[in-house]
Amino acid sequence: MFVFKKIAFIVGSRSDLPKIDGGLKILEKMGISCDVKVLSAHRTPEEVRDFAIASEGEYDCIIAAAGKAAHLAGVIASHTTIPVIGVPIKSVPLDGMVSLLSIVEMPKGVPVATVGIDNAENAALLAAEIIALGNSEVGEALKRYREEMRKKVLS
């Protein structure tokens, strides 16, 4: 049995914080601890590197949400073997497409899982699925969540 710790949810700027609220609510619903940090791949590169290196052994998954060039998830992934999930944030111009492509087009050997634009909820669910591999309580919480979704659709 694995011992799971927590998730880190990193945003590239304070203005991105409202975009991750839905994801934070899902992690709370799943009973998963989460730290939230503001770090920029371009404005605080040393801090991003130091965080990624120090995250080994502290976090089980890192979710990185950023807009525009959106290099945050890739930079973090280049410094850790912890699973990294990228959330592209909608920004102008091009409504988040640049962010999406920046995250999804990682070079071979440095993978970043990527969800849809502004979809912090799916990032949180993917992180929960990763944790559920070794934590049956989170697995049961995911089953309950899916059942709630099923009932909403059928009602």
Side-chain angles (χ1 to χ4, degrees):
M1 183 67 142
F2 298 105
V3 177
F4 288 98
K5 298 157 204 76
K6 57 187 168 185
I7 301 288
F9 221 128
I10 312 302
V11 294
S13 71
R14 290 196 181 282
S15 64
D16 296 333
L17 286 169
K19 300 278 188 162
I20 67 167
D21 283 342
L24 295 174
K25 288 177 184 166
I26 287 182
L27 292 175
E28 182 179 357
K29 185 175 187 127
M30 299 291 154
I32 298 171
S33 296
C34 180
D35 288 339
V36 177
K37 297 182 183 298
V38 179
L39 294 169
S40 168
H42 303 107
R43 293 181 297 254
T44 62
E46 292 85 10
E47 288 82 357
V48 170
R49 181 200 61 232
D50 293 348
F51 163 79
I53 292 168
S55 65
E56 299 271 345
E58 185 171 351
Y59 298 102
D60 300 298
C61 187
I62 299 169
I63 302 171
K68 297 184 181 163
H71 294 131
L72 184 60
V75 170
I76 291 171
S78 73
H79 292 288
T80 186
T81 58
I82 296 170
V84 177
I85 302 168
V87 180
I89 299 295
K90 185 177 181 177
S91 57
V92 290
L94 303 178
D95 292 330
M97 284 302 297
V98 171
S99 303
L100 174 64
L101 295 173
S102 291
I103 296 171
V104 81
E105 289 296 337
M106 289 298 297
K108 290 180 179 158
V110 187
V112 172
T114 311
V115 297
I117 298 167
D118 287 347
N119 202 336
E121 292 85 354
N122 268 1
L125 288 166
L126 181 54
E129 289 175 352
I130 291 168
I131 287 180
L133 293 171
N135 184 313
S136 60
E137 290 176 17
V138 174
E140 290 302 315
L142 280 164
K143 288 177 185 174
R144 288 190 300 274
Y145 181 83
R146 293 270 176 103
E147 180 60 20
E148 289 171 16
M149 285 186 359
R150 184 183 78 78
K151 287 179 180 178
K152 283 181 185 177
V153 168
L154 294 174
S155 66

